[in-house]
Each structure stands twice: as C-alpha cells, then as structure tokens.
Amino acid sequence: TPSELATLRDLDADKQISILLNLGVLSRHPSDDGAFLLGVPGMGPIIKAITAGRKELLRVVARKQYKEMPESQILGVSLPSSSKKRSASGASKEAKQGVKLRGSQLSTSFHLRDLLGKGWLQRMNTASGVMIK
C-alpha cells in the first residue's frame, strides 16, 4: 500500500534490502555479494511457458524448407480466395488450424509477437502475403 511504501522509504538502505529479501522480491546474486536480482514471486510458470513457446515456434519455422512460413499459416487465419471451394458454413476447406504450441498455455499470436519484437523472427511482405522468417 502507499502508506507502507512511504514507511519503507524512511528506513535506511540495509533495512530496505532486508525487507525486500524477506518478501522474495530481491535475491542475492550468486557470484557477487553486493549485487541483487529482482524477481516477482510466482513468475516461474509464466517464464517457463514463454521460453517453451519461443523454442517450439522457432523450431516449427526452422523445419520449413526455406526456414520461412506464411503468417496466416502460423496463426491459422484463412485468407479469402475466389478459387477455394467453400463449405456451407462459408469456411474454406483448406483453412489451417494454425500452429498449436504444446509447451505453452499462451497463444501462438503472443509468441509470434514476442519473437518479432525480440528480432528472432522477421516479417516480410511478399506477393503471396506476409511471410515469417
């Protein structure tokens, strides 16, 4: 709460560090006595899901012949085309399910944006649509 933070601000640095260590927000760096690591308790499963999803999506793209894949195929989005036969519901019979990531509960879209933001994958506009490489 804001009042507790104001009280924490009034304490000396050693006492502040001690409180943050007890809360689990700070931990000592294993190789340096004067350094600390900042952490958020309970983030382990989320970090594990993010790293597993990254690895799996990178592996899927790397297995393709030219190490590239249409973005629509990754996300499972069917592009409108007059040459495709449509079912009674209006959906394309060739519509893909998209990449299903087994190692993560987060969406494929989340992981794609994460990898694009990190620069580990690139988005390229081509005549046949957006490709991910």
Side-chain angles (χ1 to χ4, degrees):
T1 65
S3 61
E4 290 171 331
L5 288 176
T7 305
L8 186 62
R9 193 176 317 142
D10 296 335
L11 300 174
D12 64 23
D14 290 334
K15 186 65 176 170
Q16 289 174 342
I17 291 171
S18 175
I19 291 170
L20 293 173
L21 285 169
N22 288 334
L23 290 173
V25 177
L26 280 184
S27 61
R28 295 196 185 277
H29 195 283
S31 65
D32 187 0
D33 290 337
F36 297 93
L37 298 171
L38 180 65
V40 178
M43 287 296 293
I46 295 171
I47 300 297
K48 185 177 178 182
I50 290 172
T51 56
R54 283 177 182 169
K55 287 178 186 177
E56 195 172 346
L57 188 54
L58 286 171
R59 212 175 301 125
V60 167
V61 174
R63 281 193 311 235
K64 296 299 177 182
Q65 183 177 5
Y66 298 107
K67 296 182 179 16
E68 62 186 31
M69 201 172 169
E71 183 178 37
S72 60
Q73 187 178 355
I74 293 172
L75 298 176
V77 177
S78 61
L79 299 175
S81 173
S82 59
S83 64
K84 291 183 182 179
K85 299 203 176 201
R86 302 226 174 244
S87 65
S89 66
S92 169
K93 289 183 180 180
E94 297 175 19
K96 303 287 182 186
Q97 293 297 318
V99 175
K100 299 291 182 191
L101 301 176
R102 296 181 185 151
S104 176
Q105 298 79 22
L106 300 169
S107 71
T108 304
S109 174
F110 173 87
H111 290 292
L112 180 60
R113 290 178 182 187
D114 175 47
L115 291 168
L116 289 169
K118 290 186 74 58
W120 292 2
L121 291 176
Q122 289 81 36
R123 179 181 276 135
M124 302 176 306
N125 289 320
T126 66
S128 61
V130 179
M131 298 293 282
I132 302 296
K133 184 174 180 125

